[in-house]
Amino acid sequence: MGATDSEAVEEAAVRWFIRREGGAWTDAQEAEFNVWLDGATAHRVAYLRVETAWQQSARMKALGAGVPSGVIPPPGEWGNTRFLKKTTAELQPAPVTSPEDSTQQVKFADVVTGHESARPATSRVSSRGLGLRFNAVAAGLLVALAAGAALYIYTSGYFAGDRYATAVGGLDNVRLADGSHVTLNTDTSIRVRMTAKERHIDLVRGEAFFEVAKDPAHPFVVYAADQRIVAVGTKFAVRRDSEDVQIVVTEGEVRLAGADASEPIPVPTMLHAGAVAKTSRKEVIVNQDAAPDTQRLLSWRVGYVNFQDTTLSDAVAEFNRYNTRKIVIADPALAELRIGGNFRSNNTHAFLSLLQDRFPVTVEEGEDQVVLRGR
Amino acid sequence: MAPADRHSADQWFVSEVLPHEASLTRYLHRVWPDHSEVSDLRQEIYVRLYEHATRSPRDLPTSVQAKSLMFVIARHLMTDRRRRERIVSIDYTQDLEDSNVLVDEISPEHRLSARQDLRRFSDALDQLPAHCRTAIWLRRVEGLTTREITERMQVSEGALEGYLTRGIRALMKVVFGGTIEGDPREDVRGSDHGRHG
């Protein structure tokens, strides 16, 4: 049977796409393409389908994780990619509610904790335009998923931005299309949109470390609570706990500004390497000389939590970020005990052993939680 | 149409219409007996929808409107075609009415986990002939240019274009899903009146 009309049009669209995105493309060729594109609405629609499918297939890059360049795994080998070898808990997708729900809520159920949170999808990207011509910035929406447990979350809005998240206890690294790298800590969710104006990152929850590729034409801006953190070519971490934001800069410079456009223009705060800033509802405390602290605050990147004269209640809260079985302090008197040390974030056992050995604490380990009582 | 309007129309189509393709395709398969015509039907629906919506590019249909419009256009189109083909069958008319009910009920689009999505891509890749699979891998996973791939694979650009065409069309099937009987993602809902293609 010969190809139907729509199949012929689809094939033509695919061939145009391949040639146009193949690497060498002249203005004369672009003119020819536009003649075809404008020739029929069916051509335009077909081309949009091809572009869309191509962008959605970006996640395939994860298949290459851990595979040396030039090597192509034989069929059936996908199960051996590093992506699948990670054992962190997987976020379970839940049904997307219909578009009739005007807030377009996407619900996530964390299978391990049974905790459900509704995350509203924000407005669609419009400033980038569909620019049928792919360029490096436009391709920013095709975010490459590097190996590991940071899951690419597929929302119903094709251009609502790309989301990455880790489960409790997760830790992962993602390479963005602009060359930047983002390390996501436990229980973290970010959304990435490359627009014509800026590289827009929403830190929805959790903590992330950013290694920003230089692109002066497009500032890299992290939005967290009511803060806007602007970088050009730097390394820094942002941690969000509801409305409190902590910024640690290890290289280069970032500018901290409020995100609320209706406020009178505040003086932005410049943070240099070695600075730690904490903000809480517009109040900002900056320590520009916190270099010894920065390593401690970033030890999570190598899977450790570090305490130095930290209260037990703070230490417990920190551990609880990384573990689904939470530690609870039953006796308020214990809360002010001070502890120090370096612990693997997912090894509560070592931490609890230490407590029992050195402090007047009994540890009751249950299925769902661990209770600390005074002796 | 001014270029800016053209851009927003295209963007509208991608973000408000294409996400419903799987749902539309399932519907067409359910209601139109000749499955080989579904692709043409869908194309025609898209063309009519795009042209209708873009008559006023500053006032594009909302997400909700887009989906309803899509199905309304689908029903009109099929009714027209049946009349032209002079198919007289009470069953068919009946089906069209029944399927109105099914369509108006919004079926949740179950999102697959990232792992399942990746698996679908991987399976599609695995089913391609070796050259196509290699070409798609080098292009999509490694991101090589056409020139680099032709050098690596020692094939002509024309041949490569053929491999990539086949590969990309396979990827499009993964992305848009739609109905393939036996496809585990098929939303089996309502009766098919025993009509399988």
Side-chain angles (χ1 to χ4, degrees):
Chain A
M1 179 174 88
T4 65
D5 181 64
S6 60
E7 283 167 6
V9 172
E10 181 179 287
E11 172 151 347
V14 171
R15 286 182 183 271
W16 273 115
F17 180 81
I18 290 165
R19 276 179 261 142
R20 208 160 166 257
E21 304 302 331
W25 187 250
T26 68
D27 285 345
Q29 288 170 309
E30 180 73 359
E32 274 176 42
F33 168 69
N34 279 309
V35 167
W36 175 81
L37 189 72
D38 293 334
T41 304
H43 294 177
R44 178 172 298 274
V45 157
Y47 197 81
L48 292 175
R49 282 182 81 238
V50 178
E51 270 202 332
T52 298
W54 185 254
Q55 295 201 358
Q56 289 302 315
S57 73
R59 71 203 63 199
M60 276 176 55
K61 293 195 179 205
L63 295 174
V67 178
S69 171
V71 171
I72 299 167
E77 281 291 294
W78 83 298
N80 293 330
T81 66
R82 276 171 56 203
F83 179 78
L84 292 178
K85 287 209 163 120
K86 294 285 186 116
T87 55
T88 46
E90 199 170 348
L91 288 176
Q92 183 152 57
V96 173
T97 56
S98 76
E100 274 68 28
D101 176 0
S102 63
T103 57
Q104 289 243 14
Q105 302 238 326
V106 178
K107 286 194 177 154
F108 292 88
D110 183 334
V111 291
V112 183
T113 64
H115 160 74
E116 239 183 1
S117 60
R119 296 173 214 260
T122 59
S123 62
R124 306 219 189 287
V125 177
S126 56
S127 55
R128 186 175 84 76
L130 228 218
L132 296 179
R133 180 78 174 120
F134 259 38
N135 53 49
V137 173
L141 284 186
L142 305 186
V143 187
L145 182 68
L151 300 177
Y152 180 100
I153 295 169
Y154 184 67
T155 65
S156 64
Y158 278 78
F159 288 97
D162 296 301
R163 289 203 222 171
Y164 295 90
T166 46
V168 168
L171 173 65
D172 232 296
N173 197 281
V174 178
R175 182 187 181 281
L176 306 186
D178 68 333
S180 301
H181 287 263
V182 184
T183 308
L184 305 178
N185 197 3
T186 176
D187 197 17
T188 294
S189 171
I190 68 171
R191 199 164 67 96
V192 176
R193 280 183 285 158
M194 302 295 187
T195 76
K197 252 186 359 161
E198 65 184 17
R199 296 173 276 172
H200 183 119
I201 318 290
D202 288 306
L203 179 61
V204 178
R205 66 187 277 132
E207 181 171 20
F209 180 77
F210 302 94
E211 292 164 87
V212 180
K214 278 194 163 62
D215 181 359
H218 301 93
F220 190 96
V221 188
V222 178
Y223 292 79
D226 57 354
Q227 299 298 322
R228 203 159 48 96
I229 303 133
V230 186
V232 174
T234 72
K235 295 186 182 167
F236 66 102
V238 183
R239 171 174 169 173
R240 178 179 179 175
D241 294 301
S242 175
E243 300 306 304
D244 297 340
V245 181
Q246 170 186 279
I247 302 115
V248 178
V249 184
T250 61
E251 200 179 287
E253 224 170 57
V254 305
R255 190 169 78 241
L256 180 64
D260 188 348
S262 66
E263 294 269 313
I265 302 167
V267 177
T269 311
M270 293 302 300
L271 303 173
H272 311 287
V276 175
K278 299 197 196 202
T279 81
S280 169
R281 297 207 182 275
K282 311 239 157 54
E283 206 182 61
V284 181
I285 300 171
V286 178
N287 180 350
Q288 291 278 12
D289 261 315
D293 281 340
T294 58
Q295 282 321 301
R296 187 171 60 77
L297 292 171
L298 296 178
S299 58
W300 58 267
R301 295 174 57 208
V302 293
Y304 281 85
V305 288
N306 188 289
F307 306 125
Q308 220 175 53
D309 203 34
T310 309
T311 64
L312 185 61
S313 61
D314 284 347
V316 161
E318 188 64 14
F319 262 110
N320 285 343
R321 292 176 70 203
Y322 297 89
N323 296 281
T324 53
R325 193 176 62 148
K326 309 291 179 194
I327 304 172
V328 172
I329 302 178
D331 288 335
L334 293 178
E336 296 306 308
L337 281 178
R338 298 259 163 189
I339 67 167
N342 212 28
F343 302 90
R344 289 210 66 91
S345 48
N346 58 3
N347 188 358
T348 48
H349 182 76
F351 174 65
L352 295 168
S353 294
L354 178 86
L355 284 182
Q356 253 184 324
D357 285 345
R358 308 265 187 91
F359 295 91
V361 173
T362 55
V363 174
E364 257 168 47
E365 298 200 48
E367 279 259 341
D368 299 318
Q369 59 180 22
V370 178
V371 182
L372 304 180
R373 293 187 200 284
R375 253 188 267 166
Chain B
M1 215 190 277
D5 288 342
R6 175 63 76 198
H7 269 184
S8 51
D10 289 350
Q11 173 121 24
W12 167 83
F13 188 80
V14 167
S15 50
E16 307 302 342
V17 177
L18 286 181
H20 302 305
E21 173 158 328
S23 180
L24 174 66
T25 307
R26 279 195 295 270
Y27 170 69
L28 294 175
H29 271 264
R30 227 176 9 238
V31 170
W32 192 258
D34 188 347
H35 291 188
S36 69
E37 294 179 352
V38 165
S39 172
D40 278 2
L41 274 177
R42 186 177 56 217
Q43 176 178 267
E44 183 59 25
I45 291 165
Y46 282 163
V47 167
R48 291 188 187 195
L49 178 56
Y50 187 99
E51 288 176 354
H52 171 88
T54 55
R55 278 174 330 185
S56 41
R58 304 292 163 90
D59 191 20
L60 294 165
T62 65
S63 194
V64 176
Q65 290 168 338
K67 190 170 186 179
S68 305
L69 261 179
M70 192 168 75
F71 283 97
V72 165
I73 289 172
R75 287 198 291 272
H76 284 174
L77 179 63
M78 286 188 286
T79 310
D80 279 349
R81 286 208 179 186
R82 280 186 184 145
R83 255 187 236 125
R84 270 184 277 135
E85 289 170 24
R86 295 205 199 131
I87 295 166
V88 179
S89 164
I90 294 172
D91 283 336
Y92 283 25
T93 324
Q94 196 58 41
D95 290 344
L96 218 39
E97 289 311 309
D98 283 348
S99 57
N100 285 352
V101 173
L102 292 172
V103 164
D104 290 333
E105 168 193 347
I106 308 297
S107 58
E109 309 275 338
H110 288 274
R111 290 296 160 207
L112 302 182
S113 70
R115 221 169 260 208
Q116 286 167 302
D117 251 352
L118 211 47
R119 162 136 242 167
R120 297 187 87 226
F121 279 117
S122 176
D123 286 350
L125 253 195
D126 285 352
Q127 283 169 29
L128 291 173
H131 284 326
C132 298
R133 187 171 184 273
T134 301
I136 287 289
W137 179 278
L138 293 176
R139 185 80 187 85
R140 199 48 176 128
V141 180
E142 293 208 26
L144 302 185
T145 62
T146 296
R147 173 101 174 257
E148 288 165 340
I149 301 176
T150 55
E151 275 164 20
R152 186 86 72 94
M153 288 179 72
Q154 290 291 293
V155 297
S156 69
E157 249 189 65
L160 178 60
E161 188 177 299
Y163 303 145
L164 287 175
T165 299
R166 182 147 173 196
I168 291 177
R169 295 184 79 183
L171 297 186
M172 289 176 73
K173 283 205 170 58
V174 173
V175 169
F176 292 116
T179 188
I180 298 154
E181 272 145 37
D183 182 332
R185 279 223 308 191
E186 163 80 2
D187 185 15
V188 184
R189 198 178 272 265
S191 93
D192 226 340
H193 298 280
R195 228 178 322 111
H196 293 277

